[in-house]
Amino acid sequence: MSDATDILATAERWASEGKRAALATVVETWGSAPRPVGSHLVIDEDGGFEGSVSGGCVEGAVISEALDVIASGEPKMLEFGVADETAWRVGLSCGGRIRVYVERVG
């Protein structure tokens, strides 16, 4: 199984176990990006997670936003990049930008 399949299987398993969770997916990249389009991170309501959308540099911010998505049910589009002040705070200084879609599952 590929990493993406493993992450999606984890999301499906958590949903079948009754856990509330969110799935974050890299939907667009520009320049130097740590993970390709289609990379996934699944986050449960307790902050547990599997996968990666950024090689670690913005995972904390994505997890925080995912917890809001789990609570509200409203999906979010997140963008991180070197020109974005937030990017420096979360560590994305590789010169690229990524856009991550976060949606509730389960």
Side-chain angles (χ1 to χ4, degrees):
M1 247 191 290
S2 73
D3 287 344
T5 304
D6 290 345
I7 300 310
L8 296 175
T10 297
E12 185 177 340
R13 185 180 77 246
W14 287 354
S16 71
E17 293 170 354
K19 286 186 182 180
R20 295 187 320 154
L23 181 66
T25 305
V26 176
V27 294
E28 202 167 2
T29 65
W30 300 266
S32 176
R35 302 282 295 157
V37 169
S39 296
H40 298 290
L41 175 68
V42 63
I43 305 96
D44 72 16
E45 61 195 319
D46 298 320
F49 64 93
E50 289 191 29
S52 176
V53 291
S54 71
C57 55
V58 299
E59 252 77 13
V62 173
I63 290 166
S64 177
E65 294 287 344
L67 294 174
D68 290 344
V69 168
I70 291 168
S72 72
E74 295 294 320
K76 291 185 179 184
M77 184 68 73
L78 309 175
E79 189 172 320
F80 301 96
V82 72
D84 181 351
E85 181 181 311
T86 304
W88 288 103
R89 213 171 40 244
V90 298
L92 185 65
S93 57
C94 59
R97 291 188 300 156
I98 62 171
R99 186 172 289 168
V100 179
Y101 184 70
V102 184
E103 61 190 317
R104 189 165 70 183
V105 294

